[in-house]
Amino acid sequence: MYRKLRAGAVVVGAALLVSACSSGGKDKDGSSSPPVKQQPKSADPFWVNPDSKAAQAVAALEEDGKGDEADKVRKIAEQPSGEWILPENAQEQARGYTEAAEKADRDALLVLYNIPHRDCGQYSGGGAADGNAYREWIDQVAAGIGDRPATVILEPDAVQHMVDNCTPEQFHEERYDLLKGAIGKLQSLKNTTVYLDAGNAGWGKPDQIFQPLQWSGIDQADGFSVNVSNFYTTDDSVKYGKELSAKVGNKPFVIDTSRNGNGPYTAGSADERWCNPPGRALGETPTTKTGDPLVKAYLWVKRPGESDGTCKGGPKAGEWWGAYAMKLADAAN
């Protein structure tokens, strides 16, 4: 299971701070509809980006008089999702997102996905050119965040791909060092929370990954993330997370529930069941009110409606796929 990096340029800084003004549209009767709004902070402290691809799709559908379709996509647009920091202009992106979130009295949810030899050369292959480039990138992200509130999901798949040897062994020692260094740098910030990614319930057993997580610096992190960009149920993810937590000092964890409403896809080729699977649904909406002290939050780390890659008729990884987004929303409870 691989991660999908958002494609295209990112609008940051002042443009983000005023983008709420451009996200509204018109209802069928011609009256103005409200812009994409934030969720109540008491249940969900994370920021809804009013200029996300989902919000732009809502505005375009309303402009075209397709109110019913806009309402479906609004189910996605009005929930906070992770902002995947691109390799270029990382400091400006991190500053723009955290400034916009702070202005809305919310926390930014950021995803850092730029480890060298990323994704084993698959749809989201790439990453920083080498270790030094990665360290400089992390420094830029940290400088952009500053003292503003941020929750960081650190390097989806990076540890998992060392355990399953998708990432060649010759790169493991450096990767452990880079992850540990990234955690230390981010933890030095005043209001940043860091969750190191720890795979998913369908990948393997906690016994296989707990030591690599320790070698990667999990003891310094606030916890770990599970099910990022995947589809395993929340119940299965809780079970996996708790078994793993017991092996890494009872660290808490967060679960990506963005598309797990119908659980994993079990048909087709096993090695691509993760990629744009049909029949999936939005999962639990983001919240920190999980009812379980070990489960810190349900998050939408993956941005629903953005393609996993050029499989099953999808566009490139990270591009908006409106038809798929509406199917996710239609199938949601």
Side-chain angles (χ1 to χ4, degrees):
M1 183 262 294
Y2 307 97
R3 295 297 163 270
K4 314 300 160 272
L5 193 63
R6 292 179 62 202
V10 176
V11 180
V12 294
L16 271 174
L17 299 180
V18 300
S19 60
C21 299
S22 65
S23 297
K26 293 199 174 182
D27 294 326
K28 291 179 179 178
D29 61 3
S31 61
S32 294
S33 63
V36 171
K37 62 180 183 294
Q38 303 295 321
Q39 294 296 318
K41 187 177 180 180
S42 59
D44 188 350
F46 298 103
W47 175 63
V48 174
N49 184 346
D51 198 40
S52 68
K53 294 177 185 177
Q56 292 174 21
V58 169
L61 288 166
E62 290 179 336
E63 183 69 23
D64 290 342
K66 299 178 180 178
D68 290 343
E69 294 182 16
D71 288 343
K72 293 177 184 179
V73 178
R74 189 179 288 275
K75 292 181 182 180
I76 296 172
E78 291 194 339
Q79 297 296 335
S81 298
E83 301 294 346
W84 296 62
I85 302 296
L86 297 175
E88 300 80 16
N89 304 314
Q91 183 170 336
E92 290 81 0
Q93 292 171 67
R95 179 183 297 115
Y97 290 133
T98 54
E99 284 181 349
E102 186 177 54
K103 185 177 179 66
D105 192 27
R106 297 296 190 277
D107 293 359
L109 177 62
L110 307 179
V111 188
L112 303 190
Y113 183 54
N114 194 36
I115 202 77
H117 318 292
R118 186 187 66 205
D119 202 21
C120 310
Q122 298 296 320
Y123 289 116
S124 293
D130 54 34
N132 287 334
Y134 185 77
R135 293 182 185 95
E136 291 174 6
W137 184 75
I138 290 293
D139 287 346
Q140 291 173 21
V141 172
I145 294 172
D147 289 342
R148 290 176 291 278
T151 293
V152 173
I153 307 300
L154 182 62
E155 293 300 340
D157 282 345
V159 179
Q160 175 181 318
H161 280 334
M162 288 190 287
V163 179
D164 64 18
N165 289 317
C166 182
T167 299
E169 187 173 355
Q170 68 197 74
F171 303 126
H172 290 192
E173 184 176 352
E174 179 186 58
R175 180 168 291 188
Y176 288 129
D177 182 67
L178 292 176
L179 292 171
K180 187 178 294 186
I183 293 170
K185 182 69 177 184
L186 295 165
Q187 286 287 39
S188 72
L189 303 177
K190 183 178 179 181
N191 292 304
T192 295
T193 301
V194 183
Y195 294 105
L196 176 62
D197 190 63
N200 60 73
W203 161 79
K205 303 294 184 183
D207 280 347
Q208 297 171 272
I209 199 171
F210 82 91
Q211 281 189 321
L213 287 170
Q214 291 172 335
W215 299 333
S216 301
I218 187 65
D219 60 314
Q220 302 176 64
D222 293 283
F224 57 91
S225 59
V226 301
N227 204 48
V228 171
S229 293
N230 219 305
F231 303 86
Y232 291 94
T233 66
T234 301
D235 286 346
D236 286 345
S237 296
V238 169
K239 182 176 183 293
Y240 172 80
K242 286 189 171 182
E243 290 176 359
L244 182 54
S245 174
K247 297 178 180 294
V248 291
N250 296 313
K251 288 283 186 178
F253 57 96
V254 297
I255 302 171
D256 185 354
T257 60
S258 57
R259 304 181 297 174
N260 74 345
N262 282 341
Y265 184 57
T266 58
S269 174
D271 62 354
E272 280 207 351
R273 286 174 180 165
W274 56 270
C275 191
N276 297 324
R280 300 312 92 197
L282 301 175
E284 287 97 340
T285 54
T287 183
T288 55
K289 306 294 185 183
T290 69
D292 190 320
L294 269 181
V295 184
K296 285 299 183 182
Y298 302 144
L299 303 175
W300 285 9
V301 182
K302 167 69 179 182
R303 304 179 66 86
E306 294 183 10
S307 177
D308 289 324
T310 53
C311 56
K312 302 181 181 71
K316 291 181 180 179
E319 291 187 7
W320 179 255
W321 190 4
Y324 194 86
M326 281 187 274
K327 289 177 182 177
L328 288 172
D330 270 337
N333 293 329

